[in-house]
Amino acid sequence: MEVADRLRLTASPGPGIPPAFEALFRREYARVVAIAHRVVADADEAEDVAQDVFVSFYRKHPADAHYAAPWLYAAAAHSALNVLRSRERRGTRDAVEAIRRDAQTPDPAQAAETAETRSEVRAALARLPDRSAALLALRYSGLSYEEIAAALGLRQSSIGTLLRRAEDAFRREVTT
Amino acid sequence: MSDIEDMLSVTEPKVDTERALARLRARVEGEHIAPVTRSGSAPRRIGVNIWLRGLAAAATVALVATLLTVSGLAETILTIFEPKLLVAVPITVTDLNGAASFGAYGTLTWTEQPKPYDVPDVRTAAHDSGMTVLVPGNLPAGVGAPHYGVMNKTTATYTFSADKTRQAAAALQRTPPPMPANIDGSKLFITGGPAVVAYYSDSTNTTGATGATGASPFAGMPTLIVAQGRPPVVQSDGVTVEQLQSYLLAQPGISPQLAAQIRAIKDPSSTLPVPIPVDMATSKKVTVQGVEGIFVGDSTGLGSAVIWQKDGIVYGVAGTLTEQQVLAVANSLH
């Protein structure tokens, strides 16, 4: 197969989203948002991440690709982590403010405290190596070891060990 | 609820999928984004696995040179062989584009597919690969901790077909020389690996290394890769490497210069050509670990690699490093 053949992706010339992509979107959107939300702790930002992830997939991959779901999960985790790190770089106030919007509680003092705690936890998550942070995001969004292995291109039998290490590293980051 | 589950807890978001789909539809139509309807080949595994990127980079230093020349040229010429020597063979973009693909001459059937996977540490890498995995005693400043990956031993059978060759040539409006009768239907049995790749990222880079939607094509590229593997071995059920070489070098699209370089290899059955894209890289012989190796530098001076073979194992060290740094890492492997 020629290089061009290997790399060529045939784009459809017509407008409109193909039915297969719409079906994929309806099937996976909520889960993709949930993964992003677990990382950024802000529903609006999580939906923005999900939109970007689906557009990115739409541009580059066929909707009926067998790897669609794990690709979307991994992309959601990594993109959300990028958003989180970008937010952390902008400063603590930005981070707390973003999360405060999400802390749905009628008591302003409690909301502020919840936001502060979540912000510190997310700052710790942002400091972790990318793979460790993604592992935690996917696992605590409810993905099985098999789904995580498929999403991150890891061997399923390694997930337990890698997850324990990621959890230990995360605890250390939170307490520092 | 575990402590971490508690820490990462969030209020479950209320999602309106139809509204989100409408938003996406508006964006797609507004920005005239076209969907992909099919891919030209089997998709790359998920595209976010940092180790696979490392493996791809390792391939560029020709750890498995037969897979590097995407035209399939080296694969077809380096048939019946068990390499003991490495020789740099300059190739041009014209060579790559001009040569027919390996698939044009027959059918490749995997009996054991290559399935690269991550392992948690060097001990597991050594256990899974059955090799003693060498580690650097000396790392340049700024290079972080390694991730390890293992490529299993892979085997495949390639069956030559005169019919398929004719059809492929006709599709390209080319007229190839007829395939000799003793090649038509003959089989090659190809074994590659196992291999181990250690991928070191930049310890100062805290941005997402594998962001699937990241804008930079270089995001996540490793600072340093150390790879080792058993070289490919090819056996044949009858045809000789000389017969194949003679036939394949007479194909349209093979430049006379490239054919001359390949023919100049004294013992093609035990020489692994390392293709050097002349437009993008330069190469020279160096001594590494007490044996002769090939140093490859890209034309920009931003990347370097060294590849050598010792005690039946091919080693490669590559990275966004200087020649001195790459050689220092290579010589520190123990």
Side-chain angles (χ1 to χ4, degrees):
Chain A
M1 183 177 288
E2 302 284 353
V3 184
D5 289 337
R6 287 178 189 272
L7 300 178
R8 184 168 53 235
L9 296 172
T10 309
S12 122
I17 295 178
F21 187 85
E22 291 200 349
L24 174 70
F25 189 92
R26 290 193 173 97
R27 196 166 62 243
E28 301 294 348
Y29 182 73
R31 206 164 192 200
V32 168
V33 171
I35 291 167
H37 191 222
R38 184 73 52 177
V39 175
V40 297
D42 178 332
D44 291 341
E45 275 190 330
E47 291 222 48
D48 289 345
V49 166
Q51 288 281 332
D52 287 345
V53 164
F54 274 99
V55 167
S56 181
F57 189 84
Y58 184 78
R59 285 182 198 274
K60 298 172 187 166
H61 305 275
D64 56 358
H66 65 87
Y67 55 88
W71 191 100
L72 291 168
Y73 302 155
H78 289 299
S79 300
L81 285 165
N82 286 342
V83 168
L84 186 64
R85 290 180 182 124
S86 170
R87 190 203 283 166
E88 290 300 323
R89 279 195 292 274
R90 288 200 304 272
T92 309
R93 183 179 293 181
D94 257 25
V96 175
E97 176 55 30
I99 292 172
R100 192 191 60 74
R101 292 197 299 268
D102 205 65
Q104 294 173 359
T105 165
D107 179 352
Q110 192 189 340
E113 190 182 334
T114 304
E116 193 76 39
T117 307
R118 284 186 185 174
S119 174
E120 287 167 8
V121 166
R122 263 68 197 180
L125 191 65
R127 289 195 296 271
L128 286 184
D130 205 56
R131 183 171 72 179
S132 301
L135 267 165
L136 293 175
L138 295 177
R139 181 57 179 163
Y140 289 96
S141 298
L143 268 68
S144 66
Y145 280 19
E146 185 180 3
E147 288 172 317
I148 296 171
L152 299 182
L154 300 169
R155 202 165 48 150
Q156 194 177 329
S157 58
S158 302
I159 297 295
T161 305
L162 293 170
L163 193 58
R164 275 192 297 280
R165 289 180 186 176
E167 288 170 343
D168 290 344
F170 184 52
R171 286 191 190 96
R172 283 195 299 275
E173 284 295 338
V174 169
T175 53
T176 54
Chain B
M1 185 183 278
S2 76
D3 60 330
I4 291 180
E5 194 172 354
D6 188 33
M7 284 190 275
L8 290 176
S9 69
V10 284
T11 313
E12 285 304 312
K14 292 189 179 76
V15 173
D16 183 341
T17 303
E18 290 307 316
R19 198 164 64 95
L21 182 56
R23 179 183 167 194
L24 184 102
R25 197 179 286 121
R27 180 171 168 188
V28 162
E29 290 172 3
E31 296 177 22
H32 304 290
I33 302 170
V36 168
T37 53
R38 69 173 181 86
S39 61
S41 64
R44 201 162 58 91
R45 184 180 169 83
I46 312 307
V48 293
N49 183 339
I50 51 176
W51 184 68
L52 285 181
R53 293 187 193 208
L55 183 68
T60 64
V61 300
L63 175 65
V64 184
T66 52
L67 295 178
L68 188 146
T69 50
V70 287
S71 68
L73 184 64
E75 291 162 313
T76 49
I77 289 167
L78 299 173
T79 44
I80 307 116
F81 82 132
E82 185 165 1
K84 296 178 176 61
L85 291 173
L86 306 179
V87 170
V89 175
I91 54 169
T92 65
V93 173
T94 310
D95 289 327
L96 285 175
N97 292 336
S101 70
F102 197 39
Y105 301 105
T107 305
L108 184 73
T109 307
W110 292 102
T111 39
E112 284 177 75
Q113 290 232 13
K115 290 177 186 164
Y117 56 90
D118 283 3
V119 292
D121 50 38
V122 65
R123 183 180 296 178
T124 315
H127 173 267
D128 286 10
S129 66
M131 291 186 291
T132 301
V133 178
L134 302 189
V135 295
N138 173 19
L139 285 176
V143 173
H147 294 300
Y148 283 94
V150 171
M151 170 77 88
N152 58 310
K153 182 180 176 181
T154 61
T155 56
T157 303
Y158 189 81
T159 309
F160 286 95
S161 162
D163 281 347
K164 194 164 180 186
T165 305
R166 274 194 297 273
Q167 288 163 13
L172 296 170
Q173 297 182 322
R174 285 175 171 173
T175 308
M179 182 179 277
N182 68 325
I183 295 182
D184 186 17
S186 68
K187 285 181 164 48
L188 302 177
F189 306 100
I190 304 160
T191 304
V196 172
V197 176
Y199 157 96
Y200 297 75
S201 55
D202 181 350
S203 64
T204 61
N205 177 13
T206 56
T207 57
T210 62
T213 58
S216 169
F218 301 108
M221 284 307 287
T223 301
L224 171 68
I225 289 168
V226 178
Q228 65 177 75
R230 296 200 182 280
V233 174
V234 183
Q235 297 167 308
S236 159
D237 68 351
V239 66
T240 67
V241 69
E242 288 79 13
Q243 289 166 338
L244 275 178
Q245 184 171 310
S246 173
Y247 169 65
L248 294 167
L249 291 183
Q251 297 295 314
I254 307 285
S255 70
Q257 293 83 358
L258 179 61
Q261 284 161 359
I262 299 286
R263 285 199 185 93
I265 294 174
K266 286 177 185 166
D267 185 359
S269 65
S270 66
T271 306
L272 182 66
V274 178
I276 309 295
V278 289
D279 307 326
M280 297 156 62
T282 56
S283 70
K284 64 179 179 182
K285 289 180 183 176
V286 289
T287 300
V288 56
Q289 295 273 347
V291 300
E292 185 179 296
I294 300 172
F295 172 82
V296 185
D298 78 352
S299 302
T300 65
L302 292 175
S304 302
V306 61
I307 178 171
W308 70 99
Q309 180 165 351
K310 190 174 184 182
D311 300 329
I313 306 284
V314 177
Y315 297 90
V317 174
T320 48
L321 303 169
T322 65
E323 176 181 348
Q324 277 187 336
Q325 286 174 318
V326 161
L327 287 174
V329 172
N331 280 313
S332 78
L333 289 182
H334 63 283

